[in-house]
Amino acid sequence: MTKYLAIVSLIFISQRAFSQSKSFTVKHISKPIIADGILDEPIWKVAEGATEFWEYFPIDSIQARQQSNIKMVYDDVYLYVGIKINTAGKNYRIQSLKRDFRAGNSDNITLLFDTFNDSNNAFIFGSNPYGVRREGLLSGGGRGNGAFNMSWDAKWVGDSKIYDNYYTSEFKIPLTSFKFKEGETKWRFNSYRFDTQSNETSTWVNIPQNQTIFDLGYMGTMIFEKPLGKSRTPLAIIPYINTISQKDFETNDKINNIKFGGDAKIAIGNSMNLDITVNPDFSQVEVDDQVTNLTRFEVSLPEKRQFFIDNSDLFSSFGGRRDANPFFSRRIGIAKDTADNSIENKIIGGLRLSGKLNKNLRLGFMNLQTEEDIANEIPSNNNAMLALQQRVFSRSNIGLFLINRESIKNYDFLSKEDRYNRVIGIDYNMVSADNTWSGKYYIHKSFEPNTQGKDLSIGASLQYNSKNYNIFTDWVSIGDNFTSDLGFIRREDIVKGVLGMERIFWPNKGKIQMHSFTIFPEFIWSPTLDYINTDYNLTASWSATYNNQARVNAQITKSYTFLMNDFDPTNTDEATAIPGNIGYHYNSIDLQFRSDRRKLFAYILNTTVGEFFNGERYSFGTTMTMRFQPKVFLSLIANYDKISLPTPHPSADIWLISPKIDITFSKSIFWSTLVQYSNQRDNLGFNSRLQWRFAPLSDLFIVYNDNYFVNSFEPKNRSINLKLTYWLNI
């Protein structure tokens, strides 16, 4: 591995910064602009900006057929953006009037601001023809959809105006919404746009299609007419009051309560944030999507709580996201009770310091205290993490971290081995200037009482990404004693190797825009069992994207699993599980089709047919969406899995059905209702949420939750919340 690291490091030592020469000057003005979407101010006639967009889809080698023109000016307080977007008509597609909409299936434009010129992080601001806004954070250089975080919020205003063959948008963004170095004279900038009528996706700076449309290696420059001054970010206080009434029908416990708490946001200079939370409440956060789990391992679900969002990549990007993530924020505030059920573990309070110490060095520190729950044998824990990230070369970085989870006192029910858990580590993330090469190397070590040896997590990966070839290799070693209580470690005692190769074709004519063949072998060995091969998956697939944006994928997988313990994939009570200490060979075929997502009605169909351990499996799933523009969005997720195992093992018909309705009465009043039926989890759940945004980032929520047992249709628990939050700048 050392030799491997040295060779690849030499590649990146010699790399040169990649950039394109596009640039424009942002003029300084003294008279404020009203962001009403109508570009009638005289300054817009002389302001400079981003023009001459390039097509990204269907092809990436021509100028965009429908052009966009983005102009910018600024004063000491705000950045103003005026946009004119040419279109083929007024038949626009949008998802709803709700903020932070999904971009890929509708008409919209998004602006990317790399304010520290580091090619790794950016602020996102966007809008659609109806003036609905979105904002977010982009990390990791924009490599992959996991780099997006659309849960971040900022106070800004904007609107749009629709004309016959174009629409205009106007933004007024406080400079305090950004983080930047005092005295900065330029930011890196790019923009991308979706046009459903012309079936065109375009970008200001030309980006090859083998890269993501938001890759931060491909950006131009916006040059400020005079240097940016010192940030005047106000202190933000966000108190809340929450009245709750709930009942647990299994224990007959009733709770009627009023909770108070809040957050504070304190700016430290232009580049650092201090976030403080006291008695946080997350009752308004959308419930997790239920999933069918036919594996032996835990499922990772995304973080949706606002406190953990800002600069989250500083804490969560260490290690391997799938196998060896040492920090997983959802571990904080959730614990196991005496029956091994996941329950809420109240957070008393905490703080998070994050941002830039200088142009190349980022700092993150998080510390939260959770409450003890003696009845469920849950101790009060202090949860802390310190992270440092130093940029090297043009887009690479070295990261260091320390994680500590420790009980604040000795409890009779707590064993000595569980009193604390600590993890330290170092990561090297490599990215070439044009993103052709990328990779990661890391080594982490955990510390627990009475545990020595076999406590390392080591990984190395490398990817080559070109127009016609995509080659990926990943190697992971996780010791039998490696533990991260605040991480997501799917399994220990493994050495895993992956080598994926994809050949991509770009036809010059026909209905197919691109198609590719991929082979993806994956092997896992167990060090404590003399490195026997416990798992492998040999996958071959073909996928295609059509010119109308429809997609199809066909895949064949040959699998082997050595079960170390008995396993029941159906989760049937008192069933005879599949016996362990035996190896199982099984094969399967997967097919998937996704329709043109620009349509008002769109759908995804997928099916799996084949063997499953010592039996058979048939699965069918669909996701359907229907838009009644602009106010109603309907969706339905339905999955059926038929598991047929030989006697005496259980067979099962597993259903997961989840309809959802989103109604946006206006840009400030939203109502969503989600129903989730899962007979594997024996749960029928209802979640209904009414939100009134009566002031910027200030909301009134009414949230109703109801859960039932599936078989008996008897109630499990029920609650209703009335929550008020208010964002106050001091």
Side-chain angles (χ1 to χ4, degrees):
M1 182 176 295
T2 304
K3 180 180 179 181
Y4 180 57
L5 173 60
I7 293 173
V8 180
S9 297
L10 288 174
I11 296 173
F12 287 90
I13 289 174
S14 62
Q15 68 181 342
R16 294 183 301 172
F18 176 85
S19 64
Q20 295 191 21
S21 58
K22 279 192 163 186
S23 66
F24 60 90
T25 298
V26 185
K27 295 181 180 296
H28 187 271
I29 61 174
S30 56
K31 184 178 180 181
I33 294 174
I34 298 175
D36 55 8
I38 304 173
L39 306 181
D40 54 357
E41 290 84 0
I43 188 62
W44 293 129
K45 295 181 180 180
V46 296
E48 296 183 25
T51 60
E52 297 182 355
F53 273 56
W54 285 84
E55 189 170 275
Y56 175 84
F57 180 92
I59 59 177
D60 59 8
S61 57
I62 63 172
Q63 293 279 304
R65 289 164 286 149
Q66 298 293 340
Q67 281 291 326
S68 307
N69 189 341
I70 304 172
K71 295 186 176 183
M72 296 188 205
V73 294
Y74 73 112
D75 56 24
D76 294 337
V77 182
Y78 296 100
L79 175 69
Y80 302 96
V81 184
I83 308 172
K84 179 181 178 182
I85 298 177
N86 296 310
T87 63
K90 301 167 68 172
N91 187 25
Y92 299 113
R93 296 284 190 263
I94 69 166
Q95 184 161 318
S96 69
L97 296 176
K98 192 173 183 179
R99 192 164 175 163
D100 292 338
F101 54 86
R102 179 184 174 185
N105 62 352
S106 59
D107 287 277
N108 57 84
I109 190 164
T110 298
L111 314 183
L112 307 174
F113 299 93
D114 177 4
T115 60
F116 280 96
N117 305 300
D118 62 7
S119 306
N120 282 309
N121 298 275
F123 294 90
I124 299 169
F125 292 89
S127 182
N128 67 20
Y130 286 75
V132 182
R133 289 166 287 150
R134 66 194 295 253
E135 71 272 279
L137 302 173
L138 193 62
S139 61
R143 299 180 304 279
N145 292 326
F148 261 104
N149 193 329
M150 298 306 297
S151 297
W152 175 75
D153 287 324
K155 267 189 173 183
W156 63 290
V157 296
D159 209 343
S160 299
K161 176 72 173 178
I162 297 175
Y163 299 92
D164 287 340
N165 292 306
Y166 67 96
Y167 71 90
T168 57
S169 294
E170 208 167 20
F171 301 167
K172 180 181 179 181
I173 308 173
L175 291 172
T176 55
S177 299
F178 304 97
K179 295 300 175 186
F180 54 87
K181 179 182 177 182
E182 182 180 351
E184 188 63 82
T185 58
K186 63 180 181 179
W187 293 350
R188 299 175 74 249
F189 171 78
N190 199 15
S191 174
Y192 61 87
R193 172 197 167 190
F194 292 97
D195 181 355
T196 64
Q197 296 176 84
S198 299
N199 190 26
E200 181 181 59
T201 305
S202 57
T203 60
W204 178 48
V205 172
N206 186 216
I207 300 178
Q209 289 182 333
N210 60 297
Q211 309 294 345
T212 61
I213 196 172
F214 38 81
D215 190 293
L216 299 183
Y218 298 83
M219 304 189 82
T221 305
M222 47 187 289
I223 303 169
F224 293 98
E225 193 171 49
K226 75 175 192 176
L228 295 172
K230 186 176 181 179
S231 175
R232 298 180 178 86
T233 304
L235 167 66
I237 304 294
I238 314 168
Y240 79 84
I241 178 173
N242 180 28
T243 61
I244 180 172
S245 177
Q246 64 182 31
K247 180 177 181 180
D248 188 324
F249 289 90
E250 295 182 85
T251 62
N252 207 35
D253 292 335
K254 298 180 181 179
I255 297 176
N256 294 288
N257 194 16
I258 299 178
K259 294 176 61 178
F260 300 90
D263 298 332
K265 293 181 176 292
I266 305 170
I268 301 176
N270 285 37
S271 310
M272 298 289 293
N273 281 335
L274 176 62
D275 293 274
I276 301 173
T277 186
V278 177
N279 194 26
D281 174 84
F282 305 109
S283 59
Q284 85 285 359
V285 176
E286 291 184 356
V287 297
D288 290 324
D289 295 331
Q290 294 188 15
V291 296
T292 300
N293 186 7
L294 300 179
T295 74
R296 297 159 286 160
F297 311 112
E298 181 184 8
V299 176
S300 173
L301 297 172
E303 177 63 82
K304 298 181 180 180
R305 297 171 295 179
Q306 180 65 31
F307 179 81
F308 296 96
I309 297 303
D310 195 10
N311 283 322
S312 61
D313 68 292
L314 253 175
F315 304 96
S316 62
S317 62
F318 290 95
R321 187 177 295 272
R322 175 177 173 81
D323 297 295
N325 188 349
F327 183 78
F328 182 54
S329 60
R330 287 177 59 97
R331 298 293 187 210
I332 303 174
I334 299 175
K336 296 285 188 179
D337 63 12
T338 54
D340 202 38
N341 297 312
S342 294
I343 63 173
E344 180 183 0
N345 181 209
K346 181 181 176 182
I347 298 175
I348 299 172
L351 59 86
R352 186 189 64 230
L353 178 67
S354 60
K356 287 264 193 178
L357 293 176
N358 56 48
K359 181 178 179 180
N360 295 318
L361 180 61
R362 301 174 73 201
L363 166 70
F365 175 71
M366 182 184 298
N367 189 294
L368 294 105
Q369 187 73 34
T370 55
E371 191 174 63
E372 68 179 19
D373 184 347
I374 302 298
N376 287 297
E377 298 186 355
I378 299 172
S380 177
N381 286 313
N382 182 261
N383 309 273
M385 181 176 183
L386 172 67
L388 293 168
Q389 188 182 88
Q390 173 70 39
R391 187 177 72 152
V392 294
F393 312 128
S394 64
R395 301 186 66 193
S396 304
N397 63 72
I398 297 175
L400 301 169
F401 73 87
L402 168 64
I403 299 171
N404 183 65
R405 193 280 307 159
E406 187 164 2
S407 301
I408 63 170
K409 62 182 180 180
N410 296 330
Y411 295 87
D412 293 337
F413 56 80
L414 192 67
S415 66
K416 182 178 180 180
E417 289 76 15
D418 293 330
R419 289 177 181 171
Y420 70 81
N421 170 254
R422 299 178 183 123
V423 186
I424 62 173
I426 180 171
D427 287 39
Y428 177 36
N429 298 288
M430 306 183 307
V431 186
S432 66
D434 61 357
N435 205 33
T436 299
W437 292 91
S438 61
K440 174 188 278 281
Y441 297 90
Y442 61 86
I443 179 168
H444 305 159
K445 178 178 173 60
S446 65
F447 301 85
E448 287 187 316
N450 300 332
T451 299
Q452 292 182 349
K454 300 180 182 179
D455 52 11
L456 295 179
S457 171
I458 304 172
S461 64
L462 181 67
Q463 182 173 8
Y464 171 76
N465 182 10
S466 70
K467 184 82 171 180
N468 297 312
Y469 292 94
N470 190 357
I471 303 173
F472 173 77
T473 184
D474 183 30
W475 294 87
V476 179
S477 173
I478 304 176
D480 189 37
N481 291 328
F482 179 81
T483 303
S484 182
D485 288 352
L486 299 184
F488 186 85
I489 312 299
R490 194 179 300 271
R491 59 195 293 193
E492 298 85 21
D493 185 34
I494 65 168
V495 172
K496 175 182 174 181
V498 172
L499 177 63
M501 293 176 284
E502 181 183 23
R503 176 65 167 95
I504 307 168
F505 300 89
W506 306 89
N508 293 324
K509 58 182 179 180
K511 296 182 178 181
I512 294 179
Q513 184 256 347
M514 64 84 67
H515 67 103
S516 66
F517 293 92
T518 303
I519 58 172
F520 195 86
E522 175 187 51
F523 292 88
I524 298 176
W525 299 269
S526 172
T528 62
L529 297 178
D530 294 326
Y531 287 91
I532 68 168
N533 179 209
T534 61
D535 304 79
Y536 68 69
N537 292 289
L538 307 177
T539 302
S541 64
W542 173 80
S543 63
T545 299
Y546 292 86
N547 289 323
N548 66 356
Q549 298 194 29
R551 292 184 180 178
V552 64
N553 178 268
Q555 177 176 295
I556 300 175
T557 304
K558 180 178 179 61
S559 301
Y560 169 76
T561 301
F562 181 84
L563 279 182
M564 299 180 185
N565 302 296
D566 295 352
F567 171 55
D568 176 20
T570 67
N571 198 29
T572 304
D573 292 337
E574 301 180 358
T576 301
I578 301 172
N581 203 32
I582 297 176
Y584 296 87
H585 295 268
Y586 48 103
N587 307 318
S588 63
I589 298 175
D590 296 87
L591 301 173
Q592 184 183 81
F593 177 78
R594 191 194 77 179
S595 71
D596 182 354
R597 58 182 179 173
R598 298 172 299 154
K599 302 297 185 182
L600 295 179
F601 173 71
Y603 59 90
I604 299 174
L605 303 174
N606 54 77
T607 184
T608 299
V609 179
E611 301 163 317
F612 189 70
F613 291 94
N614 59 349
E616 296 179 345
R617 173 189 174 188
Y618 169 73
S619 300
F620 176 79
T622 184
T623 299
M624 295 183 287
T625 60
M626 183 69 191
R627 290 181 271 191
F628 297 91
Q629 296 193 151
K631 295 186 175 183
V632 180
F633 184 81
L634 306 178
S635 65
L636 172 66
I637 298 175
N639 292 298
Y640 168 69
D641 293 275
K642 182 177 181 61
I643 307 299
S644 300
L645 303 177
T647 306
H649 310 300
S651 297
D653 297 293
I654 301 174
W655 288 92
L656 174 63
I657 302 175
S658 180
K660 183 178 182 180
I661 178 172
D662 280 294
I663 300 177
T664 52
F665 298 100
S666 67
K667 294 179 185 178
S668 59
I669 300 178
F670 321 117
W671 177 47
S672 65
T673 297
L674 173 66
V675 180
Q676 297 190 92
Y677 169 89
S678 172
N679 62 351
Q680 185 188 48
R681 296 176 177 268
D682 192 18
N683 189 73
L684 173 62
F686 299 86
N687 174 262
S688 188
R689 185 179 69 160
L690 181 66
Q691 176 184 359
W692 173 33
R693 176 148 287 186
F694 59 88
L697 299 182
S698 304
D699 301 281
L700 177 67
F701 294 95
I702 301 176
V703 184
Y704 175 76
N705 283 291
D706 207 354
N707 291 276
Y708 295 83
F709 292 101
V710 168
N711 296 327
S712 60
F713 200 68
E714 294 179 353
K716 285 184 178 180
N717 52 72
R718 183 176 298 146
S719 68
I720 186 168
N721 294 71
L722 177 64
K723 181 176 180 180
L724 177 69
T725 66
Y726 186 74
W727 186 298
L728 177 65
N729 287 337
I730 298 177

